[in-house]
Amino acid sequence: MLHQAPRPLEIVSIADVPAGTGLGSSGAFLVGLIHALYAYERKRTTAETLAREAVDIEMNRLKEPVGKQDQYVAAYGGLLCQEYKSDDSVSMTVLRVSETALKELRDSLMLFFVGQTRSASALLDDQRKRSEQREKDMLDGLHFVKQLGQEIRRVLEAGAVHELGLLMHQHWLRKRGRSKGMTNDRVDELYELARSRGGATGGKLVGAGGNGFLLLHTQDRKRLRAAMADAGASEMEFNFDFDGSVVMMRNA
């Protein structure tokens, strides 16, 4: 009996940003790849399946020191609250944010490329080991971030978007002291410039730290844009995505 040869398969990836910039690159890529393979086999799947399989590949098979947040947000999309359970399951809750607050949130956030890329593996591995060793400072920091996340959820659902910047600044101060390499002189200079000359109320370095993108909160986009441009940090336009991973086109 003759066996049919497997269909040829070529995989090509195209991204809006360079690898190593901290924008969830590995998790988002893996979710998209798994989704494309399901489509190639003409099989339907769910966001939960995509997220769980991507997490399994990265964390269990490849032993990468990553979390689950990037895979889940890439699969589901939208503004979500993720709760991680002791049985390894993840509970997803959509934030109840009004259209008015959503528009204000989008208009108050700006994203700037620091100009460098980096591998986050070493930094994430250091944080994982310190957490497993129950290091007090590390655990206190993680508890603080959880509480801050709950406060951010309250602020957004209450429509008090103007309070977000100060909460982001609290997170910045706590996170930059969590691990060596979390930031560097260039990032610190840009952040302080954004707050002093640019009028930003707060921000965060997207990803595990060191380099990549600064996400800043502001009530004056023009002022912040000018200050960051003078410092050589290029702006990247973005928008919220509420669809998650989707198949745009496939052959019948």
Side-chain angles (χ1 to χ4, degrees):
M1 180 178 178
L2 295 177
H3 294 280
Q4 184 177 3
R7 290 177 291 167
L9 176 63
E10 178 181 2
I11 297 175
V12 178
S13 65
I14 302 174
D16 295 322
V17 297
T21 53
L23 290 185
S25 51
S26 61
F29 171 80
L30 193 51
V31 166
L33 176 60
I34 294 171
H35 204 170
L37 292 174
Y38 269 105
Y40 177 74
E41 295 292 338
R42 300 185 180 90
K43 296 179 180 178
R44 294 187 180 277
T45 188
T46 64
E48 179 64 24
T49 297
L50 293 175
R52 280 193 288 103
E53 292 188 356
V55 167
D56 179 59
I57 291 172
E58 278 204 274
M59 297 184 69
N60 300 326
R61 303 189 193 185
L62 299 179
K63 305 299 182 183
E64 290 290 337
V66 298
K68 300 179 180 180
Q69 66 278 359
D70 291 339
Q71 297 89 342
Y72 271 86
V73 76
Y76 279 87
L79 299 181
L80 304 170
C81 176
Q82 303 182 22
E83 296 182 66
Y84 310 108
K85 307 297 183 62
S86 58
D87 62 358
D88 286 336
S89 65
V90 180
S91 174
M92 309 292 290
T93 306
V94 178
L95 267 62
R96 300 185 300 274
V97 182
S98 69
E99 287 298 322
T100 300
L102 190 63
K103 183 180 185 303
E104 183 181 351
L105 177 63
R106 170 62 188 87
D107 290 343
S108 67
L109 294 174
M110 300 182 74
L111 191 65
F112 296 93
F113 185 40
V114 174
Q116 299 169 293
T117 62
R118 82 284 184 271
S119 171
S121 295
L123 184 60
L124 290 172
D125 191 50
D126 171 68
Q127 294 182 18
R128 177 183 61 81
K129 290 178 180 177
R130 291 171 61 195
S131 297
E132 291 174 349
Q133 293 168 359
R134 312 291 296 178
E135 186 176 309
K136 186 178 185 303
D137 288 345
M138 174 60 70
L139 294 181
D140 287 346
L142 293 175
H143 287 310
F144 172 81
V145 170
K146 178 182 178 180
Q147 294 170 358
L148 196 63
Q150 294 170 339
E151 180 65 12
I152 288 174
R153 176 181 181 175
R154 184 197 66 77
V155 162
L156 293 180
E157 292 188 329
V161 179
H162 61 280
E163 297 180 23
L164 176 63
L166 295 179
L167 295 175
M168 293 175 71
H169 183 58
Q170 290 182 39
H171 181 263
W172 169 270
L173 295 176
R174 180 62 70 98
K175 188 175 181 180
R176 70 189 303 277
R178 190 189 303 168
S179 294
K180 293 181 180 179
M182 187 66 71
T183 183
N184 57 42
D185 291 343
R186 167 66 172 167
V187 172
D188 286 342
E189 290 172 2
L190 286 174
Y191 186 80
E192 291 306 317
L193 177 70
R195 280 175 49 82
S196 58
R197 285 183 49 198
T201 53
K204 76 181 303 277
L205 191 61
V206 180
N211 292 297
F213 282 86
L214 271 174
L215 179 68
L216 299 166
H217 183 270
T218 181
Q219 301 298 327
D220 191 338
R221 295 176 66 88
K222 184 176 181 181
R223 178 183 171 187
L224 180 57
R225 180 178 290 119
M228 298 301 280
D230 288 344
S234 56
E235 180 183 358
M236 179 177 176
E237 291 289 339
F238 72 95
N239 207 339
F240 297 137
D241 169 72
F242 293 92
D243 297 321
S245 179
V246 296
V247 176
M248 302 297 295
M249 179 179 68
R250 68 177 177 182
N251 294 331

